[in-house]
Amino acid sequence: MRKRVLVTGGAGFIGSHLCERLLQEGHEVICVDNFYTGTKDNIKHLMNNPYFEIIRHDITFPLYVEADEIYHLACPASPVHYQKDPVFTIKTAVHGTINMLGLAKRTRAKILLASTSEVYGDPEVHPQPEEYWGNVNPIGPRACYDQGKRCAETLFFDYHRHHTSGEKLPPYLRLSEKAIAYSVAIKVGK
């Protein structure tokens, strides 16, 4: 069954590959990116696909589209980029997540957040078990990214607690011990 899938940060390295894979699986893909770090070169080979749509948009502002699934990847992830404008970085992580959760609630879409191991900060435990809460500096140069992603995770769980009827959450998905990111999938609004 063809789904309408929204990918925020869809012109980034990971996002563009995800868009390509979703198209290969027969889905309709809406790629949303403001091109702060993503590039058109990453998605130019997808532009002629009739099931691919690109929207230049800053997700710190609401987005009004229809979707069955949302993959929320948007946020500058490299220190060079996230430290260039730390306020923009935390706004993307927090306001962008609020806007995507609101969209998921309105459209009853499944949503996945791409988070980061940076939420653990400079961990004192290796590898980090799920029970470990981290060792994060809330005012350091990486805080805009670390704390923004921590807040995004909190928003996902709070939306789940507030807007669902007690459905059990899926466990965290660890990609590997060396993974940069891990993801939490939460169904909102059903």
Side-chain angles (χ1 to χ4, degrees):
M1 180 169 88
R2 184 182 314 271
K3 295 178 185 171
R4 187 168 186 158
V5 183
L6 176 89
V7 180
T8 68
F13 177 76
I14 295 172
S16 62
H17 285 85
L18 177 59
C19 288
E20 184 175 351
R21 177 64 182 261
L22 291 165
L23 288 166
Q24 288 171 354
E25 291 178 0
H27 300 296
E28 184 177 337
V29 176
I30 304 167
C31 170
V32 176
D33 209 297
N34 65 357
F35 298 102
Y36 184 74
T37 59
T39 67
K40 287 186 180 177
D41 284 341
N42 288 342
I43 55 171
K44 68 182 175 187
H45 64 290
L46 306 175
M47 298 287 208
N48 290 328
N49 188 314
Y51 295 107
F52 182 74
E53 180 181 351
I54 179 76
I55 299 174
R56 179 187 291 264
H57 182 78
D58 179 348
I59 63 161
T60 64
F61 298 96
L63 179 64
Y64 301 100
V65 297
E66 300 301 315
D68 301 308
E69 294 180 357
I70 301 168
Y71 291 85
H72 180 33
L73 302 150
C75 192
S78 165
V80 171
H81 297 295
Y82 68 66
Q83 291 174 355
K84 181 177 172 184
D85 188 347
V87 173
F88 174 74
T89 299
I90 203 161
K91 281 177 68 175
T92 301
V94 177
H95 292 183
T97 297
I98 289 169
N99 289 330
M100 290 305 105
L101 284 165
L103 178 63
K105 182 177 179 229
R106 182 182 64 77
T107 62
R108 300 176 63 81
K110 290 181 181 178
I111 183 167
L112 181 131
L113 169 67
S115 190
T116 175
S117 60
E118 290 292 316
V119 298
Y120 297 118
D122 189 13
E124 297 170 338
V125 176
H126 298 280
Q128 297 82 44
E130 287 304 321
E131 300 77 33
Y132 182 69
W133 298 114
N135 181 34
V136 179
N137 177 352
I139 58 171
R142 294 179 357 197
C144 60
Y145 185 66
D146 301 350
Q147 300 295 359
K149 288 294 190 171
R150 284 175 81 110
C151 186
E153 289 186 16
T154 300
L155 285 163
F156 261 66
F157 279 88
D158 285 344
Y159 255 73
H160 176 76
R161 283 187 280 260
H162 188 73
H163 296 293
T164 63
S165 57
E167 295 173 36
K168 188 170 181 158
L169 286 173
Y172 280 100
L173 168 65
R174 292 247 180 214
L175 301 177
S176 76
E177 289 183 14
K178 296 180 180 178
I180 312 169
Y182 64 92
S183 302
V184 178
I186 297 177
K187 193 183 335 180
V188 175
K190 286 198 175 191

